[in-house]
């Protein structure tokens, strides 16, 4: 819990790695994920570092693995499931893996090329067969023509003969030629127009569409093609026609000179197609065997190459000592994990067989350490919400532990509905129970991943919504009468306040709680269900929820101000307690805390008997600032004097907040008691500069870096600037004082969204379900089924998804702006450990894994 509240204590350490064991030591550290490495060669170009050649080899292996994964995915072969976590291969084994991958790439490439070549040959033979079959009728006179078949009549004498083959055409002068082939259906219109324009009508174009789809060898998609036959007159026209065919990527095939030749070609094509099918099936079987064999090891190779590349990248961040026999690395590491770090280095040295072990040494530093907050499955989602605002500064109070409760609670205040909360909680519970399902975790749907990662947040939001739904007594806009209403109608008749004529003559009657027996006491849990029948229900709930929102808002903001004391005390800035925290708390409580007091006092003191004479809190609060307490009836004796006192205290706290801290720091810097370089060090007898250096390091480890609450050693040595400090404090004072007003008003969104959600739920019930339930015919049951389906869909899409997202965003704003800015700076740097499990993979980004 202490780690979640303030983060881990970090230290800067030096690793001394022997050259022979550095690879194994870094591999052990990558498996544990304990440290974050610093770059000790910032001025060296990435292409000039020591292990650049090894990284290039890893990238070449990644290229081959990407090719293998694409082929495996194209063949629809699933990778073996199971948690595989191989260790990083040793440098001496890299060449063996490289040779194996290259051999597999060559083999797979040859088989793939042969398969593609066979497929192209099969496609050409199939197209040739279709061309011969369809073009048989192009030179015959036929009374029935296909819808897409077209002929020009530039040679009307050809229509006189019933049949004319190529040899009879040659007798016309041996100048008539034929070109036949296939073209894509999308290009036939442009192809026809181009022939007409270029050849000036010296061609006859006949075409017809192929019945079946043919696979495009380039795009691997089925396409529609058209068989065409072009009759041209003259060699020059023939050259133009061939160029046009090449321009439109037509597949041109030789046209047989006679019917006998045509029949022989068709018979030969049929035999060759059968042989090609046989060879192609065998090739595909062999290709599948190769891919099946590769799929068994490809995932292991991907992990090994990723780890190997990461190790060499880290080695490039290290520097050599003067003897070039030892690598030196600087890492940020949690103090509690130093023993584990030492054991990892010892294990790496043992695996490599090094005679001299590697070791770690803590070093002092003035740099601000990164922030590490360890989380689990429950707290990680809430920590991500806080980190989205800003990563916490080193060792400052983390809002995440409190957000675990306050965030779903404020969400539920706006979303309070028992039925909707149950649906949301059940959905989240299903995700929690099946959280280890790989199909749910490893999806590329970003929306689903967002819901799945926040399953514990949704679960708590659903549970809190169930609670607030019970408080509001609201379940799908209907109230539940669990304990029995505290109001009694018969008492009005017994007291003779109502008579029988009142019931028949009045549509609305008022229950008077002052009549004995009418009001027997409050409902045990939440709102009394009788309010669901009252016409003034909305007025009552508006008043209740508005005041409740103000109370919750003031408590939430006050809690944020109180949390700032932990930062002031931890970073040893006790003057901030008196000059920052105390004025802030007094200003907030004297004004808005007093407003909460008046709300609760009015609830407790005024009963149903004297409720008509209860004064307005809003009028009293306005008169508090106008100093006009005598203008209205007082809420309690001595109210005017107390209000004047509170206003004076609030006004006086503003100059203290504005000038207190800058003046105090100026007095410390230029007064008689000028401190030394570091706080408290003037009372310490320093025997050497080394002792002061170590004390500085201890200071940093205790958490003396914070954007507002702490500074690094370098900033402490800078000259104090009173104008900058005064300007900074003036901005903070104005922002805080105005923010108290605007933030308190901002919490009224709790009332507004709760009202909107309840009204939307009521409208949906009245306009959908009530229509079906009021049907008293036999068809009403059949009509109720589709109406209920529509009601369920609208409930999920509008009230759960849209309203839930709206309430989520507003709860997020209340935490970021109204709560966290009271104590949380969020200007730190996140701790990014070197861990193999956290390394991104390009294969995962492209969906290959």
């Amino acid at each position: 819990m202490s780690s979640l509240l303030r983060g881990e204590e970090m230290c800067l350490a030096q690793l001394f790695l022997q050259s022979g064991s550095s690879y194994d030591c870094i591999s052990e550290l990558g498996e544990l994920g304990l440290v974050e490495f610093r770059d000790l060669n910032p001025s060296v170009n990435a292409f000039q570092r020591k292990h650049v050649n090894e990284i290039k080899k890893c990238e070449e292996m990644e290229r081959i693995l990407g090719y293998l994964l694409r082929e495996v995915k194209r063949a629809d072969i699933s990778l073996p499931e199971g948690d595989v976590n191989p260790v990083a291969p040793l440098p001496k084994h890299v060449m063996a893996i490289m040779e194996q991958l290259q051999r597999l790439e060559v083999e797979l490439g040859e088989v793939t090329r042969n398969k593609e070549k066979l497929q192209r040959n099969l496609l050409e033979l199939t197209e040739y067969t279709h061309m011969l079959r369809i073009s048989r009728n192009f030179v015959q006179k036929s009374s029935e023509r296909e819808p897409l078949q077209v002929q020009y009549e530039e040679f009307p004498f050809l229509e006189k003969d019933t049949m004319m083959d190529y040899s009879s055409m040659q007798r016309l002068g041996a100048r008539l030629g034929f070109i036949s082939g296939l073209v894509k259906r999308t290009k036939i219109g442009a192809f026809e127009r181009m022939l007409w324009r270029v050849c000036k009508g010296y061609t006859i174009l006949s075409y017809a569409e192929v019945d079946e789809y043919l696979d495009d060898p380039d795009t691997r998609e089925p396409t529609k093609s058209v068989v065409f036959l072009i009759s041209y007159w003259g060699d020059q026209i023939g050259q133009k026609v061939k160029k046009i065919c090449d321009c439109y990527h037509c597949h041109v095939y030789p046209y047989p000179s006679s019917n006998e030749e045509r029949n022989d070609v068709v018979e030969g094509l049929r035999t060759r197609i059968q042989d090609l099918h046989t060879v192609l099936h065998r090739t595909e079987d062999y290709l599948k065997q190769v891919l099946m064999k590769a799929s068994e090891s490809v995932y292991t190779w991907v992990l090994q190459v990723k780890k190997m590349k990461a190790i060499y990248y880290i080695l490039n961040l290290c520097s050599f000592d003067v003897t070039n026999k030892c690598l030196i690395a600087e890492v940020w590491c949690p103090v509690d994990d130093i023993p584990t770090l030492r054991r990892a280095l010892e294990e790496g040295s043992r695996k490599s067989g090094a005679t001299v072990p590697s070791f770690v040494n803590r070093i002092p530093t003035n740099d601000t350490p990164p922030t590490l907050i360890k989380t689990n499955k429950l707290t990680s989602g809430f920590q991500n919400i806080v980190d989205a605002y800003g990563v916490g500064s080193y060792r400052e109070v983390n809002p995440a532990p409190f957000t675990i409760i306050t965030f779903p609670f404020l969400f539920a205040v706006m979303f309070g509905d028992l039925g909707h909360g149950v649906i949301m909680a059940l959905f989240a519970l299903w995700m929690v129970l099946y959280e280890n399902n790989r199909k749910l975790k490893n999806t590329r749907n970003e929306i689903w991943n967002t819901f799945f990662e926040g399953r514990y947040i949704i679960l708590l939001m659903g549970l809190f919504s169930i609670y607030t739904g019970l408080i509001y007594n609201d379940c799908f806009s209907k109230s539940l009468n669990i304990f029995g209403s505290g109001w009694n109608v018969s008492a009005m008749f017994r007291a003779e306040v109502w008579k029988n004529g009142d019931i028949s003559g009045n549509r609305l009657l008022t229950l008077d709680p002052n009549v004995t027996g009418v009001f027997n006491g409050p409902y045990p849990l939440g709102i009394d269900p009788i309010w669901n029948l009252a016409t003034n229900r909305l007025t009552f709930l508006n008043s209740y929820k508005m005041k409740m929102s103000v109370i919750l808002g003031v408590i939430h903001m006050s809690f944020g101000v109180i949390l700032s004391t932990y930062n002031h005390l931890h970073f040893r800035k006790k003057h901030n307690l008196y000059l920052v925290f105390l004025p802030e708390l007094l200003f907030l409580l004297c004004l808005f805390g007093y407003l909460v007091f008046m709300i609760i006092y009015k609830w407790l003191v005024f009963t149903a008997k004297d409720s008509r004479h209860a004064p307005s809190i809003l009028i009293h609060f306005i008169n508090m600032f106008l100093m006009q307490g005598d203008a209205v009836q007082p809420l309690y004796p001595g109210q005017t004097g107390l209000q004047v006192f509170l206003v004076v205290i609030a006004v006086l706290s503003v100059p203290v907040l504005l000038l207190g801290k800058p003046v105090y720091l100026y007095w410390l810097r230029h007064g008689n008691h000028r401190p030394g370089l570091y706080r408290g060090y003037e009372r310490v007898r320093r025997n050497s500069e080394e002792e002061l250096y170590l004390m500085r390091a201890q200071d940093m480890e205790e958490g003396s870096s914070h954007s507002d609450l702490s500074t690094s050693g370098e900033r402490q040595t800078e000259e104090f600037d009173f104008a900058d400090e005064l300007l900074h404090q003036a901005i903070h004072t104005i922002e805080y004082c105005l923010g108290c007003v605007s933030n308190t008003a901002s919490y009224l969104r709790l009332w507004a969204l709760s009202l909107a959600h309840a009204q939307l739920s009521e409208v949906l019930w009245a306009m959908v379900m009530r229509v079906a339930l009021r049907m008293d015919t036999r068809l009403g049951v059949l009509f109720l089924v589709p109406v209920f389906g529509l009601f369920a869909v609208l409930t999920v899409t509008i009230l759960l998804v849209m309203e839930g997202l709206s309430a989520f965003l507003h709860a997020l704003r209340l935490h970021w702006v109204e709560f966290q800015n009271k104590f949380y700076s969020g200007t730190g740097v996140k701790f990014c450990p070197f861990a193999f499990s956290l390394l991104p993979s390009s294969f995962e980004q492209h969906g290959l894994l």
Side-chain angles (χ1 to χ4, degrees), residues 411 420-422 424-425 457-467:
F411 170 87
H420 300 158
V422 168
M424 182 177 292
I457 301 177
I458 300 175
L459 178 62
L460 288 179
M461 291 192 304
L463 295 177
F464 275 86
S465 297
I466 294 174
Y467 166 73

Side-chain angles (χ1 to χ4, degrees), residues 536-776:
N536 60 339
R537 172 175 178 265
L538 193 59
T539 304
F540 167 74
L541 291 180
N542 275 347
S543 176
Y544 164 72
K545 292 181 178 179
M546 185 188 303
K547 295 172 182 177
M548 176 199 64
S549 301
V550 173
I551 294 173
L552 292 177
V554 173
I555 293 175
H556 200 210
M557 291 189 296
S558 302
F559 181 60
V561 175
I562 293 172
L563 285 178
S564 64
T565 59
Y566 291 93
N567 286 330
H568 300 323
L569 293 174
H570 178 78
F571 296 112
R572 301 179 187 176
K573 297 206 170 185
K574 293 185 178 180
H575 61 274
N576 284 342
L577 290 176
Y578 309 104
L579 302 177
V580 178
F581 162 71
L582 195 58
E584 288 180 349
L585 190 64
L586 286 175
F587 183 86
L588 179 62
L589 294 183
C590 287
L591 298 181
F592 301 99
Y594 177 68
L595 176 62
V596 173
F597 163 76
M598 287 194 296
I599 293 173
I600 298 176
Y601 181 85
K602 184 178 178 181
W603 280 346
L604 297 177
V605 172
F606 290 90
T607 60
K609 294 181 180 180
D610 52 0
S611 61
R612 296 179 181 272
H613 307 289
S616 172
I617 294 178
L618 182 60
I619 299 300
H620 276 281
F621 193 61
I622 294 175
N623 290 336
M624 177 180 176
F625 295 95
L626 300 178
M627 303 295 181
Q628 297 178 358
D630 300 332
V632 293
Q633 176 189 354
L635 193 65
Y636 56 88
Q639 177 185 3
T640 304
L642 178 60
Q643 290 183 166
V644 172
F645 174 74
L646 292 177
V647 171
V648 171
I649 294 297
V651 172
L652 290 179
S653 63
V654 175
V656 176
L657 183 62
L658 175 63
L659 301 174
K661 183 178 177 181
V663 172
Y664 175 76
L665 293 178
Y666 181 82
W667 177 77
L668 280 182
R669 295 288 177 174
H670 300 89
N672 295 330
H673 302 284
R674 183 177 179 180
L677 181 63
Y678 272 61
R679 57 189 186 284
Y681 289 173
E682 70 275 7
R683 296 188 296 272
V684 179
R685 183 178 180 182
R686 299 184 294 272
N687 297 325
S688 65
E689 293 296 327
E690 181 181 1
E691 182 180 350
L692 176 61
Y693 194 59
L694 293 175
M695 293 173 67
R696 290 181 183 178
Q698 184 180 2
D699 242 4
M700 294 303 302
E701 292 169 6
E702 290 176 355
S704 62
S705 65
H706 188 275
S707 62
D708 179 47
L709 305 169
S710 62
T711 54
S712 64
E714 297 175 357
R715 288 187 57 188
Q716 291 184 0
T717 60
E718 295 177 358
E719 184 179 355
F720 174 74
D721 192 335
F722 178 75
D724 287 347
E725 187 65 32
L726 181 62
L727 179 62
H728 174 78
Q729 194 64 23
I731 295 173
H732 173 72
T733 303
I734 296 173
E735 180 185 7
Y736 179 81
C737 295
L738 296 180
C740 284
V741 180
S742 63
N743 293 349
T744 304
S746 180
Y747 277 93
L748 292 177
R749 69 185 69 238
L750 297 174
W751 154 60
L753 266 78
S754 175
L755 173 65
H757 185 81
Q759 291 302 304
L760 277 174
S761 180
E762 186 173 351
V763 168
L764 186 62
W765 179 274
M767 298 186 66
V768 180
M769 285 298 294
R770 186 179 297 173
V771 175
L773 292 174
R774 284 183 173 180
M775 294 186 64
D776 54 359

Side-chain angles (χ1 to χ4, degrees), residues 4 44 47 69 103 143 168 175 232 240 247 251 260 312 340 367 375-376 410 439 526 618 623 671 743 765 774 813:
L4 185 62
V44 181
F47 298 99
L69 287 171
R103 185 168 58 252
S143 59
S168 60
R175 288 171 22 182
Y232 60 88
K240 292 181 180 181
C247 179
H251 298 170
E260 291 78 7
Y312 284 122
T340 308
D367 295 338
T375 58
N376 53 31
L410 292 183
K439 293 183 179 180
L618 182 60
N623 290 336
N743 293 349
W765 179 274
R774 284 183 173 180
R813 182 243 152 78

Side-chain angles (χ1 to χ4, degrees), residues 2 99 363 742:
S2 60
E99 291 176 358
I363 57 175
S742 63

Side-chain angles (χ1 to χ4, degrees), residues 171-367:
R171 300 192 194 99
L172 295 176
R175 288 171 22 182
L176 188 64
F178 296 92
I179 294 179
S180 59
L182 282 84
V183 66
K184 291 184 179 180
R185 185 175 61 177
T186 56
K187 298 180 180 180
I188 187 62
F191 180 63
E192 182 181 0
R193 289 191 298 271
M194 183 62 70
L195 281 174
W196 173 259
R197 292 171 182 172
V198 174
C199 300
K200 306 298 182 182
Y202 287 94
T203 57
I204 300 176
L205 173 64
S206 302
Y207 60 87
E209 187 176 326
V210 180
D211 299 333
E212 60 185 51
Y213 284 90
L214 299 176
D215 291 334
D216 191 335
D218 297 325
T219 62
R220 301 178 185 273
E221 295 180 356
T223 57
K224 274 284 188 177
S225 299
V226 173
V227 174
F228 65 87
L229 175 63
I230 302 174
S231 305
Y232 60 88
W233 192 267
D235 295 336
Q236 293 182 354
I237 298 296
Q239 295 296 327
K240 292 181 180 181
V241 171
K242 291 178 181 178
K243 290 181 180 180
I244 294 174
C245 292
D246 293 339
C247 179
Y248 282 88
H249 303 286
C250 301
H251 298 170
V252 179
Y253 298 99
Y255 187 77
S257 59
S258 62
N259 289 331
E260 291 78 7
E261 183 180 353
R262 181 194 301 271
N263 296 331
D264 294 340
V265 172
V266 169
E267 187 64 28
L269 289 175
R270 187 178 296 111
T271 304
R272 292 178 60 186
I273 288 176
Q274 292 177 355
D275 296 339
L276 273 177
H277 274 297
T278 303
V279 176
L280 188 58
H281 282 312
R282 293 180 180 177
T283 305
E284 289 177 348
D285 292 340
Y286 179 71
L287 178 62
K288 192 169 185 179
Q289 292 177 3
V290 174
L291 292 176
M292 288 288 292
K293 183 180 179 181
S295 65
E296 297 174 357
S297 306
V298 66
Y299 187 66
T300 302
W301 289 335
V302 167
L303 295 179
Q304 288 180 329
V305 172
K306 182 175 74 171
K307 292 182 178 182
M308 188 165 41
K309 182 180 178 181
I311 292 173
Y312 284 122
Y313 176 79
I314 294 299
L315 290 175
N316 279 337
L317 303 181
C318 306
S319 63
F320 281 91
D321 65 344
V322 292
T323 61
N324 287 334
K325 296 181 180 179
C326 178
L327 278 175
I328 300 176
E330 289 187 2
V331 297
W332 290 110
C333 179
V335 175
D336 296 339
D337 292 336
I338 291 292
T340 308
L341 175 59
R342 289 196 175 98
R343 288 194 296 269
L345 295 179
E346 292 173 359
E347 181 67 17
S349 301
R350 185 190 63 81
K351 286 184 177 181
S352 63
T355 55
V356 180
S358 301
F359 59 94
V360 59
N361 181 32
R362 291 179 60 178
I363 57 175
T365 180
N366 291 329
D367 295 338

